[in-house]
Amino acid sequence: MRIVCIGGGPAGLYFALLMKRQHPEHHVTVVERNRPFDTFGWGVVFSDATMQSMRQWDPQTAEAIEVSFNHWDDIELVFKGRKIRTTGHGFVGIGRRKMLNILQDRCLELGVELVFERDVESDTEFPDADLVIAADGVNSRIRNEYADVFRPDMVMRPNRYIWLGTDKLFDAFTFDFQRTGHGWFQAHIYRFDETTSTFIVETTDEVYKAHGLDRMDQEQSVAFCEDLFAGTLDGHRLMTNARHLRGSAWLNFSRLICDKWSHFNGRSHVVLMGDSAHTAHFAIGSGTKLAIDDAIELTRQFDLLGHDRAHIPAVLAAYEEVRRVDVARIQNAARNAMEWFEVVGTRYADTLEPEQFMYSMLTRSQRISHENLRLRDRDWLEGFERWFAARAGVEPGENGAVPPPMFTPFTLRGLTLANRIVVSPMAMYSATDGVPDDFHLVHLGARAMGGAALVFPEMTCVSPDARITPGCLGLWNDEQQQAFARIVDFVHRQTPAKIGIQLGHAGRKGATKRAWEGIDQPLAEGAWPLLSASALPYLPHSQTPREMTRADMDRVTGDFVRAAERARDIGFDMLELHVAHGYLLSSFLSPLTNRRTDLYGGDHAARARFPLEVFQAIRAVWPEDRPISVRLSTHDWHEGGNTPEDAAIFARLFKEAGADMIDCSSGQVVKEEKPVYGRLFQTPFSDKIRNEIQVPTIAVGAISEADHANSVIAAGRADLCAIARPHLADPSFVMHEAAKIGYDGQPWPKQYHSARAQYVNNLARAATAGKP
């Protein structure tokens, strides 16, 4: 085949040499606009895992890189006058120029044609090419030429950064955070050869402009950074090699995703690779990794399907299918890390102590978990766990051991929970006329016995017309109150758990069938009239609710108050007000469901007015020593709906009204929503509200094991973790997770003690099965 790689960066060069190595008959050319020794970066970073892949695909290139790179295991934080270091992280740093020269030399050795100082305008300049690799970077002319095919989604991120170098040699990947009168700056620093370290300085656009950096030239910017980080530089100078850029050389990162990666132009197949197809923020150092992995995967597909023109379409389709998954995973992690640095000054730096700040930084991508940190650096993590436990009031045991973060106690007003795990309110739809029965006793009792610190029945409705389905729980009469009292008494007498109640009103989502009969489908018979913020049906064929009048609001508020009084008298330990998921109170908050033009529609304060009235009314009758939380939909997942920014505004309003905690859920406001699911996918919403609004939070959503919960709690992204489906599958989830991570401080019911040792032994046998 005739192959032309447009762009002589890592992606184009590495693919060229791999293809020539695998199939020497190919005629492979790399065309680069710059000279061989031109490069405008400093060092590049990739992981030990990427290095291992390179060893497998071309040992000679890997060996040449390995003798030239700087390898380090340590990460050091410089923050608030402290230096904290942890080890076991395994990164490789090498000068970008040196790496490109190694790849260029290997290409020439294998017979790849290298053409420098040629500026390619279009892929059609190579009409005889069977395959054109568009590896011409984030501003790819080839991609832009076929923008209607590739459909690139480019987002300019808000932070500013400048890529510098220094002759001070750092022996760890160093993160230095410095506060000025206008805000925070951070430096990402790593050594990449025997004489030089990369020194990237980053800050928000607001801080950048407040210091006048937008009006400085490069020399002035460099001098500013030298002065700001003088304590870390120890008299060494900063250097720039971006003289080709106008102005101060401060840049914004561009996040790129493409809908399609390949195209047939009528003569040649064109495929995107590296930064022309996707970008990943330097916060996790994966740009070079993605380029190398692209080159490897495309080569692998040719090996699998055939090194000839006829197989190119199938190869490109397979390449994109495989790479899209891994790229999405890396981009998600990079996005998390990037966003952490974008908000670090407003969310973490002023409030977190250095120990927790370090933990938050290390786990910023959500790819590194609590137990992964233990594998990397047990001593550091155990020291952090002792610090965290002390903050929770836990003294070390005789052997110095302390509980992992999820097993530390948590206090809110007069309520102290034994650990940080909550059984979420989960709709069972199994009540009769709102009355809980033996099912609810066994369901909630089993989970309270299973180790959770706090259990909730499903949303409990405050009136007959507040129900979602005929099977929903209710608390509006004496029979219901007596039945709930039986459950609360069991939890209090037989378990160390506490029990809360979540009060709510279905609003426009009411009068529907039980989930297993047709979720959200309107009742064919026995329906009741519905109320909502506006007269909008949930589904096109749902019953249309009546827009609430002032009289309706007074009646509903009274229903909530009377239910709260009953819950108080029963002895529930905590109350949660349901203001999420498109139910009645939620329908006032969202502009998708609130079209009112009176005092209860319009801006945030107006939309929150009625939910706040309800909250204040129940707070007035709820005991002062018992907490109230508020469940919010922190993202509507639909254009024009509430975003996390809106949710933060509402969280602040509820905090000011006396809410003790915000339960951070999302979605279910409109049926047309498009949520983005994934592990811990709602935790960032909790993180934002907890650390920006300074109110305790509950994280929910795809938290399914102890490692997840420990990571969330330890980083300060939430104070409690509410876990739903895992508790449905395993009532003893908390006890079992404690055993899986080797924590023996979680009590089991005395009646079950004899089973604990066997369970732990079985886990040990399973862990060693198949090992010599």
Side-chain angles (χ1 to χ4, degrees), residues 7-23:
L13 288 170
Y14 198 61
F15 176 72
L17 73 85
L18 288 184
M19 284 295 283
K20 194 68 175 176
R21 181 178 186 270
Q22 298 298 98
H23 208 289

Side-chain angles (χ1 to χ4, degrees), residues 402-533:
V402 295
M406 68 176 276
F407 291 105
T408 58
F410 180 73
T411 298
L412 208 58
R413 292 195 185 234
L415 174 68
T416 296
L417 303 177
N419 61 56
R420 307 300 186 97
I421 303 302
V422 179
V423 175
S424 296
M426 294 174 282
M428 299 289 103
Y429 304 124
S430 299
T432 302
D433 296 326
V435 179
D437 58 20
D438 287 350
F439 170 84
H440 300 90
L441 173 66
V442 173
H443 169 69
L444 293 165
R447 282 142 189 89
M449 292 173 66
L454 176 65
V455 299
F456 276 97
E458 64 201 86
M459 183 179 88
T460 300
C461 304
V462 297
S463 63
D465 65 341
R467 292 174 296 166
I468 309 167
T469 77
C472 288
L473 288 173
L475 189 51
W476 63 80
N477 63 37
D478 292 345
E479 184 182 5
Q480 295 158 351
Q481 183 172 339
Q482 292 166 5
F484 268 120
R486 177 175 174 237
I487 296 171
V488 171
D489 180 61
F490 176 87
V491 171
H492 285 161
R493 282 190 302 104
Q494 298 293 338
T495 82
K498 306 298 182 181
I499 183 167
I501 187 165
Q502 184 189 73
L503 296 180
H505 189 300
R508 71 178 192 147
K509 295 176 74 175
T512 63
K513 299 177 181 178
R514 293 171 177 84
W516 48 86
E517 296 169 347
I519 191 166
D520 294 328
Q521 297 306 307
L523 289 170
E525 297 179 357
W528 48 88
L530 303 181
L531 300 171
S532 192

Side-chain angles (χ1 to χ4, degrees), residues 295-474:
I296 288 173
E297 185 57 38
L298 188 52
T299 304
R300 190 176 78 88
Q301 292 300 332
F302 274 111
D303 285 355
L304 291 172
L305 300 175
H307 279 261
D308 56 71
R309 182 182 177 90
H311 289 97
I312 292 177
V315 166
L316 297 185
Y319 158 74
E320 180 174 345
E321 181 180 2
V322 172
R323 288 299 296 143
R324 188 175 290 281
V325 173
D326 191 50
V327 167
R329 181 178 60 82
I330 296 295
Q331 283 188 319
N332 286 341
R335 182 196 66 232
N336 292 336
M338 171 185 68
E339 291 177 350
W340 190 91
F341 283 106
E342 289 173 353
V343 301
V344 64
T346 56
R347 190 177 295 182
Y348 310 115
D350 286 329
T351 57
L352 296 186
E353 296 182 46
E355 289 81 359
Q356 192 167 37
F357 187 88
M358 177 69 155
Y359 187 102
S360 178
M361 186 187 74
L362 291 174
T363 58
R364 63 192 181 275
S365 71
Q366 295 189 178
R367 286 200 305 164
I368 297 176
S369 68
H370 196 76
E371 292 307 312
N372 186 264
L373 284 174
R374 196 181 308 279
L375 290 174
R376 293 168 183 243
D377 191 345
R378 176 179 289 272
D379 290 343
W380 178 84
L381 184 66
E382 290 182 351
F384 171 80
E385 287 180 332
R386 286 191 292 273
W387 175 88
F388 191 93
R391 298 269 296 173
V394 178
E395 295 292 331
E398 292 183 3
N399 60 355
V402 295
M406 68 176 276
F407 291 105
T408 58
F410 180 73
T411 298
L412 208 58
R413 292 195 185 234
L415 174 68
T416 296
L417 303 177
N419 61 56
R420 307 300 186 97
I421 303 302
V422 179
V423 175
S424 296
M426 294 174 282
M428 299 289 103
Y429 304 124
S430 299
T432 302
D433 296 326
V435 179
D437 58 20
D438 287 350
F439 170 84
H440 300 90
L441 173 66
V442 173
H443 169 69
L444 293 165
R447 282 142 189 89
M449 292 173 66
L454 176 65
V455 299
F456 276 97
E458 64 201 86
M459 183 179 88
T460 300
C461 304
V462 297
S463 63
D465 65 341
R467 292 174 296 166
I468 309 167
T469 77
C472 288
L473 288 173

Side-chain angles (χ1 to χ4, degrees), residues 49 55 79 82 116 167 183 200 243 267 279 328 355 468 508 520 544 559 702:
R55 291 188 196 101
F79 181 63
R82 298 270 304 279
F116 293 98
D167 58 2
I200 307 170
R243 304 294 180 187
R267 292 189 178 185
T279 57
E355 289 81 359
I468 309 167
R508 71 178 192 147
D520 294 328
T544 298
D559 291 339

